[in-house]
Amino acid sequence: MNDRIYAMYLIGRRDFAETIRSIGIYLIIALSLAISLIILYIFGNAVDDPSVDRSQIINFIFMFVVVGISILYLAVNSVTSIAKEKSDKTIEVLFYGPVDEISFIAGKYLSRICLYLFILVITNLVILPAGLLMGIEIPGDFIKITILSVFLISCIISIGIFLSTLTSSVSGSIVLLIGFFVILFVIQLLAGILGLIPIGMDSTLDILRDIVVGLLNATKYISPLEYFGIGGEAIGSGDTGKYFLSILYSTVYSLVFVLLSTGILMRRGIKQ
Amino acid sequence: MSAVIETKNLTKIYGEFHAVKNLNLKVSEGEVFGFLGPNGAGKTTTISMLTGILHPTKGSVHLFGENLSDDYFNLKRRIGVVSEQQYMYNKMTACEYLSFFADLYRVKNKKRKINELLKFVELYKYKDKKLGEYSKGMRQKISISRSLVHDPDILFLDEPAYGLDPAGVKEVRDIIFKEKDNGKTIFMSSHILSEVEKICNYAGIIDKGVLVKKGAMDRLKKASSPGCELEIELVEVNKKIIESLKKLPFVVDVEIGENKNILRIKAPDEKNRAEISGCIFENGGAITGMSTKKATLEDAFVEITRGEVK
C-alpha cells in the first residue's frame, strides 16, 4: 500500500478506535435514539389519518435528531482533534515516523466520517424497525437523504478540522467553532431584521443592508448547511441533477477545507 | 566512512531570530555523536529539522545521502527519535502504543518485537497498564522502545535522560550503550556532559545557532585546554619554584591554589610528571602529594561556550 495512504489509514483507525472505546459516542447515540423513539411514539399514536404520509416522520427524525445531534458532536470532535494533538504534543511523536501533513489530516477526516457512519448504522438499525413496528414505513427518499447527510457531515468535519489547525489549544478551538457559527447566525439575523425596513427610508441603513446582504451571500459558500439545504430542496422537488450538484458542492467544499488544513499545518509546522 | 547524517547550510529563522545558522555537519555510520550547547543554543531546533518535524528556512538535511524531503517516507522509516519530553497517548497501554507505531513502521512479527523490547527495558510486566499511569522514568523507557520498535539505522536522542533520577539516567545510558554496541549511529543532545563523555565518540558544540566546534571526543576535550592539570602539594611554595616551572617548555600555566601549598600546573599530558618533580626538588621544594586532573568535556564546553552548564 502507498505510504501516505497507509499512514492515513492507521491514523484514522487509531482515532476511530479511541472514540468508539470512549463513552461519549454512546451517550450521543443513546440521546439520539431516546429523542427519536419518543417522537416516533407520540407521532405514531397521534396521527392515524390515512391521508397523511406518516413515513415523512422518519425523515424528520433522521434530519433533525440524528443528523442534528451528530453535527454538534462531530463538529466539536473535529475542531478539537488536531488542537488536542498539538497541545499534548503527540503530533510531534507521530511525525517522527512516516507520517506527513496530508496523511495526518486525511486520517483525521476519514476517522470522523467513519464515526458518523457508525452512528448512522446503529441509529437506523433501531429507528427504522421501530417505525415499521408502529406501522410507519420507510420513506422512499430516505436513502437519498441519508447519503446527502454524509456529505453534510463531511463539510462539518472539514470545517472543524480547518478551525482546529488554526489553534494549539482545545479551548481555543471550541471558541473558534462557536465564533464561526455565531458569525453565520448574526449575519442571517441582521439580514432578516434589515430586510424588514423599507428600502430608501434611510441611506445609512440601505448601505448597511447592502453590506449585510453581501456578507449573507458570501456565507452561503462557507456555511456547510447551505449545501445540505440545496440537496434537501432537490429531493423535495425530485430534481436529481440539483441533488447530485449539491453532493458535488459538498465534496468540493470538504476538499477545499481539507487542503487548506494541510497547507496551514505545513506552513505553521508541527512543532509549536 | 560515508556520512549517514549530513546538513548543508541548515538554517532556521523565527522572525528576526536565527535559531540555527548555516549548520554544516557530517556524522558517519556507527558514530555516536554528542550534540552539545547551552540552553537555547539551537540543539532541539536542529534535531527537529534533522528528524523532519520542522522545515528549515534554508539549507537541507541528507540522511544516507538522500535529501530528507525527496525520500521522506523511506528515510523516516530508518530513523528513531526520542525527545526530551515523553509525549504519548495516555489512554493506550504500552502494548497498544508500541503496536500502533510498529504498524506505522510496517514491522514484521510485531508482537515478538514488542515483547522483546518491553523485556529489554524491563517493563514487560506493566505492558497492559495505561501509559497515563506510568512514572516519568517508565515513560522515557517506553519512548526509547518506540524509537527502537522498527530497528532504525539512526537514533536521534534529544536529552534522553531529561528529568530522570540517577537510577533512571543509568538505565537509559545502559540502553544507549547496548544500541551503540549494536552498531547504530546515534545522534544525541544532552546537558549531562559526563554522560555524553561516557557514551559519545564524536561531538559538536553549538552556541547561538552556530556550530563552534566539532570533532573526535578526545581531540575536542584537548582543543581548548591542555591535556591535563597536575595538582602538586608542597611543604612550602616559593617564587623560585614557580619561575622555574614556568620556564619548562611543556608547561602551559602555573597557578597557586586556594590553599597556598598547592600548585596547579597545566601541561599537555602526564608524561612530564618526572621533569616537573625534578624541577621542584632542584629548587628546594618538598612534594607531599600529587594528583592529575585530566581535561574533561565540561572544561572544553565551558571554555568554548562560556555558558551555563548543568
Side-chain angles (χ1 to χ4, degrees), chain B residues 82-268:
Chain B
V82 177
S83 57
E84 62 180 315
Q85 299 285 351
Q86 307 92 16
Y87 310 119
M88 40 187 73
Y89 298 112
N90 290 330
K91 287 180 184 170
M92 282 182 162
T93 65
C95 247
E96 288 167 346
Y97 183 71
L98 294 178
S99 177
F100 170 65
F101 281 95
D103 284 338
L104 204 55
Y105 289 105
R106 301 184 193 229
V107 175
K108 287 172 185 154
N109 297 323
K110 69 169 180 176
K111 204 168 177 181
R112 185 180 56 81
K113 181 75 185 169
I114 290 167
N115 286 342
E116 271 175 17
L117 275 171
L118 288 171
K119 283 174 188 164
F120 176 58
V121 296
E122 295 167 1
L123 289 176
Y124 184 74
K125 61 178 172 181
Y126 305 107
K127 67 186 172 107
D128 296 320
K129 198 173 169 180
K130 292 242 162 63
L131 293 171
E133 296 165 24
Y134 273 43
S135 70
K136 197 164 188 177
M138 290 161 87
R139 287 166 73 86
Q140 190 65 326
K141 284 184 184 179
I142 291 295
S143 283
I144 293 172
S145 303
R146 192 242 318 130
S147 73
L148 295 173
V149 76
H150 55 299
D151 199 19
D153 296 313
I154 307 174
L155 255 185
F156 288 96
L157 309 172
D158 187 10
E159 303 280 357
Y162 178 81
L164 299 183
D165 59 22
V169 171
K170 190 187 173 302
E171 281 174 342
V172 168
R173 187 206 306 149
D174 290 344
I175 295 169
I176 299 170
F177 266 125
K178 281 179 191 166
E179 291 309 311
K180 180 184 175 181
D181 292 343
N182 288 340
K184 291 216 185 323
T185 304
I186 299 174
F187 189 95
M188 172 184 168
S189 91
S190 178
H191 261 114
I192 309 173
L193 299 181
S194 55
E195 289 300 311
V196 174
E197 206 173 334
K198 279 177 198 156
I199 296 167
C200 303
N201 44 22
Y202 286 85
I205 296 175
I206 187 171
D207 193 18
K208 298 184 183 83
V210 177
L211 188 70
V212 285
K213 210 93 183 171
K214 63 178 172 179
M217 186 62 79
D218 290 342
R219 275 195 313 192
L220 197 71
K221 283 193 279 186
K222 289 177 185 171
S224 347
S225 59
C228 72
E229 189 180 276
L230 288 176
E231 199 170 86
I232 302 175
E233 194 177 342
L234 303 170
V235 173
E236 193 184 357
V237 173
N238 62 51
K239 214 172 177 180
K240 199 175 152 194
I241 295 173
I242 297 170
E243 292 305 319
S244 304
L245 284 170
K246 279 185 177 172
K247 281 177 191 164
L248 291 173
F250 49 82
V251 169
V252 178
D253 194 19
V254 180
E255 278 177 13
I256 301 173
E258 297 79 39
N259 179 339
K260 300 286 178 197
N261 291 345
I262 288 177
L263 279 181
R264 289 205 186 96
I265 301 158
K266 287 180 181 170

Side-chain angles (χ1 to χ4, degrees), chain A residues 154-219:
Chain A
S154 162
C155 294
I156 297 283
I157 293 168
S158 59
I159 189 84
I161 286 175
F162 169 73
L163 294 174
S164 197
T165 55
L166 300 176
T167 173
S168 302
S169 81
V170 174
S171 52
S173 66
I174 291 172
V175 168
L176 274 179
L177 179 73
I178 293 169
F180 175 75
F181 283 108
V182 164
I183 288 170
L184 291 183
F185 175 73
V186 166
I187 291 170
Q188 282 206 330
L189 189 72
L190 271 178
I193 293 167
L194 290 168
L196 297 173
I197 300 165
I199 297 167
M201 205 178 101
D202 184 289
S203 60
T204 313
L205 283 177
D206 286 346
I207 293 167
L208 191 63
R209 182 178 22 243
D210 289 344
I211 293 169
V212 172
V213 168
L215 283 172
L216 188 65
N217 288 330
T219 59

Side-chain angles (χ1 to χ4, degrees), chain B residues 259-291:
Chain B
N259 179 339
K260 300 286 178 197
N261 291 345
I262 288 177
L263 279 181
R264 289 205 186 96
I265 301 158
K266 287 180 181 170
D269 56 51
E270 287 183 82
K271 284 186 284 185
N272 311 108
R273 283 171 75 139
E275 284 172 88
I276 289 169
S277 306
C279 176
I280 291 169
F281 286 131
E282 278 169 22
N283 290 285
I287 297 172
T288 55
M290 187 184 279
S291 61

